[in-house]
Structure formats: C-alpha cells, structure tokens
Amino acid sequence: MRTQVAIIGAGPAGLLLSHLLALEGIESVVLERKSRQAIEETIKAGVLEQWVVDLLQDTGVGDRLMREATFHDGIELRFGRRRHHIDMAGLTGGKKVTIYAQHEVLKDLIAARLAQGGTILFNVRDVRLDNLQGPSPSIAFRLEDGREEILQSDFIAGCDGYHGPSRSYIPNRKEYLRHYPFGWLGILVEAPRAADELVYTNHERGFALLSTRTTDIQRYYLQVDPHDDLEAWPDDRIWDELERRVETEDGFFLPRGRIFQKNIVSVRSFVCETMQYGRLFIAGDAAHTVPPTGAKGLNLAAADVVHLARGLARYYLRGDDQWLDHYTDSCLRRVWRAEHFSWFMTSMLHQLPEHTDIDRKFQQAQLEYVVASEPAAQSLAENYVGLPVDW
Ligand code: APR
Ligand code: PHB
C-alpha cells in the first residue's frame, strides 16, 4: 500500500488531519487499533473552543453540531456555597462555550471521510514505524484478519494518543510530566438539566463539575482518589457526594436519574518536546495531555493538526518545507499556554491531600479575585473559550 500521509490513530487529531488534508487534495490512510463502533461509542469530554466550531462548520462537518450542540454564554464557578457567573461571551467579544461530545465529532468526521472515499482501516494491530529519516517512511502492521501489511508514505502523522507508540520513535525527546493525586469519576445520567451552564465547584470534599449532553442527558464529574475503582462508587454514593459538593445556600436542587455510564480517568499534565523527527510528526494527546479542568484536550489536538495540515499543504502545493520544519515551534507556544491554564484551573478547584488551611485560603483568594475583578475574569475567559489558532 502507498499513500501520501500515513496517519496512526482515528481520534480527533487523526481524523481531523485526514479531513483537512483531503480538502487540500492530499491523500491519507488512517490506521486505527480499535473498531469503528468502539471509536464511536467511547465517552470522553465535550467542550469545543469557538474557533474549532467555526473550523468544523467552514470545512463541511459542522451541520449536526450546529443542530445538536449546546451553546452557553458562560460558566459558573461555585465556591463557599455560592454561585458566580463568568460571562465568557461578554468578556471575549461573543465567543461561546460549545458542548458537543467528542465521539459525536468523531462520528461526523468518520462519516465525512468515508463518504469522500477516504480510507480508515479499523482493528489494525502491531504498528511499527520505519525509515523515518528517509523520503519514504513506512508502517508495518497487521490487518484485522492477521495478515501483515506495509504502508509506504511520504510522511507519518502519529495521532495515537498518550499510550500510542509513535512518540517513542523520537530520539532525544524531553518529556515533561506531572501526575495529579486524584482522578475524575465521570457519569452519564438520564435526568433533566440541573443548571443553565457548566458548574465548576470548589468544595472542601473535592472538586465537582456539572456538564450536559442534551436536555435529557447530563454529564457529571467528581474528584476521587486515583486508586479508587468503580466498585467503590455505587450510584447512591455518587449522588450523595455530588449533592454535598454542589449544594448552595440558596437551595440548589440536583435532580437524580438513572446512571448509565461510569468511568474514572487519571489526571496529568504532559508535554513531549520535540513533536517531530525526520518525516514523523506527532499531534494531539500523543504529544501532550492536559488535566480536563480547562476543557482543552480536543481543542489542542485540533490546533496541532491545523498547523500540520498547513505545513503539508505548503510542501505538496509549493515545494516549501519550512512550515514543516517549524511544526513543533508553531504548536508548542499554544500547547504550553493551554498546559498552564489547565494546571491553573485544576489548582484553583481541586483539593490535594497535602493541602493545609493556608492552601485553602490561597484558593479562596484566587477564586474571589477571578469572580470580582473584570480583568481577572477576562483572562480566564480568553483562555477558556480559546486563543486564536495562530497564537
Ligand atoms: N495503533 C493504531 N491506533 C492506535 C494505537 C496503535 N498502536 N494506539 C492508539 N491508537 C489510537 C487509539 O485507539 C485512539 O483511537 O489512536 C487514537 C488516539 O485518539 P485520542 O486518544 O482521542 O487522541 P487525540 O486524537 O490526540 O485526541 C485528543 O482526545 O482522548 C481525548 O482527552 C483527549 O480530548 C483529547 C483528545
Ligand atoms: C464534559 O462535558 O465532558 C466536560 C466539560 C468541561 C470540562 C471537562 C469535561 O472541563
């Protein structure tokens, strides 16, 4: 097999890259370890920055999103049993908070690629990369039926997430990593909406987040012990804990409902420098991960592949490889900004085991400042709705 750009991973990074390349007339093949069904059903986060919404719309994959997504003008910060509205749209010249589950974005991208004759091979195994410094790098892999196959290409895009193998092919990389001493327990619930916007809560028992999917399905999260498994969290315990953390002095009511999905994810900050080696470029979670508190994961993956698609387009259409040479630099400035913002939100809202009274006072002072000072709120809003892709 041969293609121009071989892409490993059919997550947001890999699929959006394949889509953007096709619009430039550049051919790609996507190799994915999981089945299409698994990709389309795995529950992940769901907040899109304004420019990502605009990009999906402008490139023809935003119709369902515009019909089905939830658009909010702001978020709520809740602490000391009080609610505080941050007016994102008002503070950023009209940019909104869009909630549309990641797997719905993936369904739309997969449908678009297949409708346009694109190739996505699901259920592949054992990808091995070779010849990354030469003009024709290749990927050996095993097809679903067990047959060995080799995909030759001009470039390889490693879009295979935090646990994928691509990153390990970059020698002399420097990895920056922080594990946080807590996880996020996420649930999907059949229940009416509890609030008009996302509620981020700082509580002495731990962080809680109320998000949404549709008018009838809600997505809630609790800060939990990172070593907890789901058995430790029967439904009643989840509801009791959520209720205690999000209660307000004005009597906030959290409607309960059937919990039909639960998972626990670990929380980390991670960046790999550099993001390229010869003809290999890594993008998205393969190169960096953020704690989910800033809602940046999918958006950072999208920004990387916009830069990568531009660099590849310059190469194929103009024979200019300078943009590709500077791929890492054009991504990392934004990546570190988002890493810092995600760490900032995480630090402001979670309880750490080592926290003492003074740490809680610091958090409270920061929260009071963010909700009372317009410049402070504006800084949070600017980061939350997303800096421009070329930032
Ligand atoms: N071979 C083929 N595919 C692989 C391999 C492999 N060896 N290893 C991983 N993959 C696939 C995974 O199955 C997954 O579908 O790569 C894909 C990576 O997707 P994501 O982990 O979603 O990463 P990315 O596309 O960078 O998107 C980042 O996704 O998980 C969220 O929080 C994350 O929002 C962020 C966004
Ligand atoms: C979600 O809806 O899944 C979600 C929302 C906000 C976050 C993280 C996840 O910060």
Side-chain angles (χ1 to χ4, degrees):
M1 292 172 78
R2 177 157 186 101
T3 189
Q4 290 178 301
V5 182
I7 300 173
I8 310 172
L15 289 170
L16 183 59
L17 177 62
S18 180
H19 173 66
L20 296 176
L21 291 177
L23 294 173
E24 300 283 356
I26 301 166
E27 210 184 85
S28 64
V29 169
V30 181
L31 304 179
E32 168 57 51
R33 189 169 51 92
K34 294 194 210 151
S35 67
R36 178 176 178 182
Q37 190 183 357
I39 294 285
E40 294 190 338
E41 288 178 357
T42 303
I43 304 300
K44 299 223 171 146
V47 177
L48 304 184
E49 293 179 355
Q50 183 66 56
W51 73 269
V52 176
V53 173
D54 297 341
L55 175 73
L56 295 174
Q57 237 190 318
D58 294 346
T59 61
V61 284
D63 287 354
R64 199 165 65 92
L65 181 156
M66 294 313 289
R67 283 197 309 275
E68 297 179 13
T70 306
F71 302 95
H72 289 159
D73 282 341
I75 62 165
E76 184 187 316
L77 290 180
R78 193 172 287 192
F79 57 96
R81 304 179 73 226
R82 289 178 187 220
R83 318 153 184 247
H84 304 268
H85 171 65
I86 305 274
D87 178 9
M88 298 285 173
L91 291 162
T92 62
K95 293 182 183 172
K96 291 193 186 277
V97 178
T98 301
I99 300 144
Y100 188 62
Q102 178 167 312
H103 68 280
E104 302 295 349
V105 177
L106 299 185
K107 280 187 206 166
D108 297 341
L109 287 169
I110 291 171
R113 286 310 296 127
L114 297 181
Q116 287 154 9
T119 307
I120 308 170
L121 300 179
F122 293 99
N123 303 303
V124 307
R125 293 267 174 275
D126 301 338
V127 302
R128 284 143 287 150
L129 286 59
D130 200 10
N131 222 354
L132 297 172
Q133 292 284 33
S136 185
S138 62
I139 305 175
F141 63 100
R142 215 174 274 284
L143 288 160
E144 192 174 359
D145 62 12
R147 270 185 301 137
E148 272 283 341
E149 185 61 80
I150 292 185
L151 176 61
Q152 303 279 355
S153 59
D154 302 328
F155 296 96
I156 296 177
C159 302
D160 45 359
Y162 181 71
H163 299 286
S166 301
R167 186 171 65 245
S168 66
Y169 287 87
I170 302 179
N172 303 326
R173 64 192 185 278
K174 177 161 172 59
E175 298 191 350
Y176 298 83
L177 176 65
R178 168 167 301 171
H179 283 290
Y180 295 82
F182 47 79
W184 272 29
L185 165 67
I187 58 169
L188 279 171
V189 196
E190 274 170 17
R193 260 185 205 138
D196 296 334
E197 49 196 10
L198 267 60
V199 178
Y200 287 82
T201 307
N202 174 303
H203 190 274
E204 60 269 19
R205 297 181 62 87
F207 170 72
L209 169 61
L210 305 181
S211 180
T212 186
R213 287 294 177 263
T214 65
T215 44
D216 308 314
I217 296 181
Q218 312 312 325
R219 178 77 168 147
Y220 298 152
Y221 296 97
L222 281 174
Q223 173 186 351
V224 297
D225 189 299
H227 307 297
D228 272 1
D229 54 29
L230 289 172
E231 264 88 274
W233 286 94
D235 294 4
D236 284 347
R237 179 174 178 209
I238 295 176
W239 285 119
D240 292 347
E241 194 59 38
L242 268 173
E243 236 168 41
R244 291 175 80 167
R245 295 188 192 181
V246 301
E247 73 176 0
T248 60
E249 58 186 19
D250 62 356
F252 175 77
F253 173 65
L254 182 70
R256 295 190 177 196
R258 186 176 75 88
I259 297 176
F260 62 94
Q261 201 268 350
K262 289 185 203 178
N263 66 334
I264 295 181
V265 294
S266 53
V267 180
R268 69 176 86 82
S269 297
F270 168 74
V271 179
C272 173
E273 289 187 5
T274 121
M275 294 168 60
Q276 63 197 92
Y277 174 66
R279 294 264 173 145
L280 168 68
F281 298 85
I282 60 172
D285 269 24
H288 41 74
T289 51
V290 281
T293 332
K296 289 277 158 270
L298 185 153
N299 302 291
L300 272 188
D304 288 353
V305 300
V306 165
H307 287 292
L308 187 50
R310 273 189 201 161
L312 290 165
R314 296 262 168 148
Y315 173 86
Y316 282 111
L317 308 179
R318 300 192 201 165
D320 170 4
D321 53 15
Q322 283 211 2
W323 278 54
L324 283 177
D325 287 347
H326 293 112
Y327 167 70
T328 298
D329 298 335
S330 44
C331 294
L332 278 182
R333 191 170 133 88
R334 182 192 181 81
V335 166
W336 279 114
R337 177 85 293 281
E339 289 282 350
H340 179 270
F341 176 68
S342 306
W343 164 84
F344 159 76
M345 289 286 281
T346 304
S347 312
M348 183 168 71
L349 292 164
H350 291 74
Q351 303 304 321
L352 297 184
E354 65 266 28
H355 268 182
T356 62
D357 290 350
I358 195 168
D359 297 296
R360 280 184 276 275
K361 286 286 183 192
F362 288 156
Q363 273 190 338
Q364 207 179 322
Q366 180 62 44
L367 284 160
E368 299 281 2
Y369 178 52
V370 158
V371 300
S373 150
E374 185 163 318
Q378 192 166 27
S379 167
L380 187 150
E382 175 184 48
N383 282 275
Y384 191 91
V385 300
L387 290 155
V389 70
D390 284 311
W391 194 83

